[in-house]
Amino acid sequence: LKIQSFQLLNSTIVPVPSVGLRVSVTDAFAEVSGEWQWNNWMASDRGSFGLKIEGLSISVGLKLGKNPAGRLTADTSACSTHISSVQVRIDGKWSWLYNLFDSQIESALRKAMEDQICKVVSRSISYNLQPYLQTLPVTTKVDKVAGIDYSLVGPPVATSDSLDLHLKGEFFSRAHRSATPFPPPALPFPGDHDRMLYFGISSSMFNTAGYVYYQAGVLPFDITDDMIPKKSTLRLSTSSFGSLVPQIGKSYPGMLMKLKVSPSSPPSLTIAPEGLSLLSTEDVQAFAILPDSSLAPLFVLDVSTTISATAGMKSDKIVGSLKLGRLELSVKHSDVGPLSVKLMQAAMNYIAANVLLPQINAHLLLVNPVLQPHQNFLLFGADVRHIWSWFYNLFDEKIGSAIRRSLVDKVCQEVSHIVSTKLQPYLQTLPVTANIDMVSGIDYSLMGRPVATSNYLDLNLKGEFFSLAHRSAAPFSPPALSFPADHDRMLYFGISSYLFNTAGYVYYQAGALTFDITDDMVRRGSQNRPKLRAIFGQERTGTAFRLAPKLATPSRNSLA
């Protein structure tokens, strides 16, 4: 049995209310050929057959659900098939007899295939698709502190034009997982939509992230003077803060300072149609950096602020930025006497606006075609391209083996055909000689068959210059080229002395090696010019030499 052709021309997937999805394939086409034989005590026959299937349509309903682990489940809810036409051609000794019954054979085959296809599809969904869905992860590692759980919190909800998947979207501690102290809000998606895919992220996901990282103690950070813009007149030093709190300048003159920022509660994000806002409360502890790099405590402030986030389009990307609301602070403790809250608030506002937010905004870039804030969640929208290969793979249980055998035979036949009809003729057109100039050419034809071992292939080329005017054999033979056994390169190319010596022989025979040396070739001002003229007695006229080499028989591995 060989599958000569198999085409799935049209495929669709649509949601089915209260069920899940319906996957349909229409106008499929298949062409199969094979050999047959039969025999009994009275007679026997053998021959070939051809089977053409046209107008094959398959419709499969998938009932979607979830298991206790929050993974997607799928089962067959309905299946129907229809074949418009089945054509059978039977060749054999008694083919005239068989073809008398072709209409009955075609009808029986069509009914048998229509019944069998749905059985194969249902079995493939149960034994292939469903087990595969149970292998899909529902949590993933974010970093060494946290992971995110995106398991289903309920079965998929299908309507006539959409399919909703409700995922948990919750950060959790990888060290010790526990329930978060706040429930997730509802995500009412808008009814009007013009994108193929929408993805909603609630404020709960961001807040679980803040809660996990706060509990892990990884949110505190330091602010130092080198983080403040160079052009700023306000520095993180006792000199600058001494103008706000005189005791700082007196007790620790001319020293740099450090601020340790530690959240006193998890950050809280609120999402609304008009934008996003983040409420943050921190303890800010100030230190003077002593000459021995130790820290001297100065004061501790309780700081709370609201940060608003905006989103806008830039070219084909959506960019986000943060804007700082007014800081509110109070003094929790002071080691340097009374503090002016108003002056401190002005200083902290400046540091937050000119140090913290520019660094965050520099790394904040969201890329997506559509981003809309809604009550308690952000909505992302995009169009996607779809590929139904996962559905077609459901049928591999029955037809995969036949297709594989057919492909193996076809591939080998095609490769052999290409080698014989394309590669071999092409190799015969490749040149084995090349002209160097008007005197000589070079012959790089093979001296023997290529020699292959388990890890390399050797090609032994002639490598011989020859005269274009009258080609004759060189009066010496080429040496053997023994390549080293150890090699760490992909390609090695050896050139023997024979190549150079045949070049010398050809150019010698052609008389192309004779050349003249004249006086004007001696560099003017050279110390040798007067000496040459004195030797040859040529004070007023130029001196010329003519060099004409004589042939010497070179040794086997040296140049003459």
Side-chain angles (χ1 to χ4, degrees), residues 62 356 412:
L62 291 176
L356 296 182
C412 287

Side-chain angles (χ1 to χ4, degrees), residues 400-412:
S401 179
I403 293 176
R404 183 167 57 252
R405 288 196 304 270
S406 175
L407 287 176
V408 168
D409 294 341
K410 280 290 184 185
V411 168
C412 287

Side-chain angles (χ1 to χ4, degrees), residues 208-228:
T208 57
Y211 178 78
V212 168
Y213 286 107
Y214 170 77
Q215 291 290 337
V218 296
L219 293 182
F221 59 95
D222 295 342
I223 301 176
T224 55
D225 183 70
D226 56 7
M227 298 168 66
I228 296 178

Side-chain angles (χ1 to χ4, degrees), residues 145 207 209-222 260-267 280-282:
V145 174
N207 291 333
Y211 178 78
V212 168
Y213 286 107
Y214 170 77
Q215 291 290 337
V218 296
L219 293 182
F221 59 95
D222 295 342
K260 286 186 172 292
V261 182
S262 303
S264 55
S265 62
S280 179
T281 304
E282 295 89 12

Side-chain angles (χ1 to χ4, degrees), residues 183-446:
L187 275 70
F189 272 29
D192 297 331
H193 46 265
D194 54 3
R195 296 292 190 276
M196 294 177 66
L197 175 68
Y198 282 89
F199 184 66
I201 303 178
S202 76
S203 55
S204 174
M205 190 187 80
F206 298 101
N207 291 333
T208 57
Y211 178 78
V212 168
Y213 286 107
Y214 170 77
Q215 291 290 337
V218 296
L219 293 182
F221 59 95
D222 295 342
I223 301 176
T224 55
D225 183 70
D226 56 7
M227 298 168 66
I228 296 178
K230 299 293 185 183
K231 62 182 181 180
S232 172
T233 56
L234 178 63
R235 311 306 308 176
L236 195 51
S237 65
T238 56
S239 300
S240 290
F241 274 76
S243 61
L244 306 176
V245 185
Q247 188 60 39
I248 293 178
K250 293 179 182 178
S251 302
Y252 306 98
M255 297 181 186
L256 292 176
M257 292 174 57
K258 176 185 287 189
L259 300 180
K260 286 186 172 292
V261 182
S262 303
S264 55
S265 62
S268 176
L269 179 72
T270 302
I271 303 176
E274 57 272 14
L276 292 73
S277 61
L278 177 68
L279 176 63
S280 179
T281 304
E282 295 89 12
D283 287 338
V284 179
Q285 189 171 8
F287 296 90
I289 304 176
L290 302 179
D292 61 357
S293 298
S294 60
L295 302 178
L298 301 176
F299 54 82
V300 180
L301 303 177
D302 181 20
V303 180
S304 64
T305 186
T306 300
I307 300 173
S308 61
T310 58
M313 294 294 298
K314 183 178 181 180
S315 184
D316 60 343
K317 299 176 180 178
I318 288 182
V319 294
S321 63
L322 302 180
K323 183 179 179 181
L324 183 69
R326 185 170 180 82
L327 285 169
E328 295 182 3
L329 60 84
S330 60
V331 179
K332 294 183 70 173
H333 175 74
S334 174
D335 293 296
V336 289
L339 302 180
S340 172
V341 173
K342 288 186 177 181
L343 292 177
M344 277 296 178
Q345 187 161 313
M348 298 306 294
N349 264 316
Y350 178 86
I351 291 174
N354 292 276
V355 178
L356 296 182
L357 290 189
Q359 292 199 21
I360 296 174
N361 283 328
H363 296 88
L364 183 62
L365 178 64
L366 304 175
V367 180
N368 208 295
V370 174
L371 171 62
Q372 300 171 351
H374 289 261
Q375 190 62 44
N376 296 322
F377 70 97
L378 283 175
L379 183 66
F380 293 83
D383 287 330
V384 296
R385 297 180 63 184
H386 57 281
I387 300 173
W388 304 128
S389 58
W390 64 271
F391 173 71
Y392 306 146
N393 290 332
L394 297 179
F395 300 94
D396 62 357
E397 182 179 354
K398 292 297 182 185
I399 66 174
S401 179
I403 293 176
R404 183 167 57 252
R405 288 196 304 270
S406 175
L407 287 176
V408 168
D409 294 341
K410 280 290 184 185
V411 168
C412 287
Q413 291 173 10
E414 189 65 21
V415 170
S416 298
H417 178 72
I418 290 173
V419 170
S420 300
T421 61
K422 301 288 180 62
L423 178 60
Q424 176 60 16
Y426 169 73
L427 293 176
Q428 304 315 303
T429 66
L430 298 179
V432 293
T433 63
N435 289 354
I436 302 298
D437 50 28
M438 62 182 181
V439 174
S440 72
I442 186 170
D443 184 337
Y444 49 89
S445 58
L446 283 168

